[in-house]
Amino acid sequence: MTPDLFGTPQPPELTCLPGFANPYAAALVATALAVAARAPWRIMHTPGGRRMAAAMTNCGSLGWVSDERGYRYSAQDPQSGAPWPPLPPLFLDLAARAAAAAGFASFVPDACLINRYAPGAGMGLHQDRDEADLSAPIVSVSLGLPAVFLWGGARRTDKPLKFPLTSGDVVVWGGATRLNFHGVAPLREGDHPLTGRARLNLTLRRAS
Ligand code: SIN
Ligand code: FE2
């Protein structure tokens, strides 16, 4: 956090917290897989009908979904009609502490999108803008295989900076950069002790 002229804390544009989640990485992976046992991994489609490269599921009172009707949050898993599994206390606690470390006090997420990338999968530049409350930050946790995070600007055409992320790294953004474009470069081949040939990403957000 950098104080401005008046001493007001200013959230930075992107905070990387290397290894922040390492003490809990194995428990986070096990918990994410327990969520996926109840709300199975699925490949969602963009409103334009394209398959996404990462498999996804959600936990929390709201879950992010995408289909021909558009991008939105839903209280139910459309595949089962049941509510998403609740947000595990471990996720809530980690998100609040990472947000606080990045200068965002009292972050209470209500949605966690869980992405699973195989080698070769990535995610194109996009904005996270389906949330009702844009004052809350985004906390993104990397587990398993490494990836390169692409951190763009306010416009899609802004050239992204590249941040290598490894297992246990947490990135946080919000405030002035809450709507910045971001993405993930296609993963390189690899095998990780925690996840095998996969990277898991937890994106914790305040959606309502
Ligand atoms: C996302 O923006 O939804 C995913 C980011 C990541 O996998 O690191
Ligand atoms: Fe995103």
Side-chain angles (χ1 to χ4, degrees):
M1 220 168 20
T2 37
D4 67 8
L5 278 178
F6 307 98
T8 317
Q10 295 297 306
E13 51 162 47
L14 175 73
T15 301
C16 297
L17 301 167
F20 193 87
N22 266 340
Y24 329 98
L28 290 165
V29 170
T31 306
L33 296 181
V35 168
R38 290 176 59 183
W41 299 114
R42 76 284 314 265
I43 297 289
M44 296 189 197
H45 290 78
T46 65
R50 287 170 49 141
R51 277 170 62 89
M52 297 200 179
M56 296 177 182
T57 186
N58 288 281
C59 54
S61 53
L62 290 170
W64 186 85
V65 295
S66 174
D67 58 21
E68 69 287 344
R69 288 167 48 205
Y71 302 133
R72 66 193 175 280
Y73 279 92
S74 166
Q76 284 86 32
D77 176 349
Q79 232 161 250
S80 63
W84 299 102
L87 253 169
L90 177 64
F91 287 16
L92 283 169
D93 178 62
L94 179 71
R97 287 189 304 108
F104 297 95
S106 317
F107 176 48
V108 184
D110 58 8
C112 178
L113 172 67
I114 310 178
N115 294 318
R116 188 190 68 190
Y117 302 81
M123 191 176 288
L125 285 179
H126 65 278
Q127 293 169 295
D128 287 10
R129 57 168 199 196
D130 304 313
E131 298 72 30
D133 179 3
L134 295 176
S135 70
I138 291 183
V139 172
S140 175
V141 182
S142 292
L143 298 162
L145 286 181
V148 174
F149 186 67
L150 305 172
W151 177 241
R155 289 164 304 186
R156 187 179 291 280
T157 48
D158 292 338
K159 189 172 156 51
L161 299 170
K162 295 178 178 176
F163 289 97
L165 294 178
T166 59
S167 191
D169 291 351
V170 179
V171 294
V172 182
W173 70 94
T177 59
R178 174 61 182 72
L179 289 174
N180 271 36
F181 281 86
H182 59 278
V184 177
L187 260 69
R188 295 179 57 171
E189 189 54 64
D191 192 7
H192 193 278
L194 278 179
T195 55
R197 285 181 74 244
R199 169 178 184 262
L200 301 184
N201 169 260
L202 314 176
T203 301
L204 290 131
R205 310 181 180 117
R206 179 96 213 157
S208 65

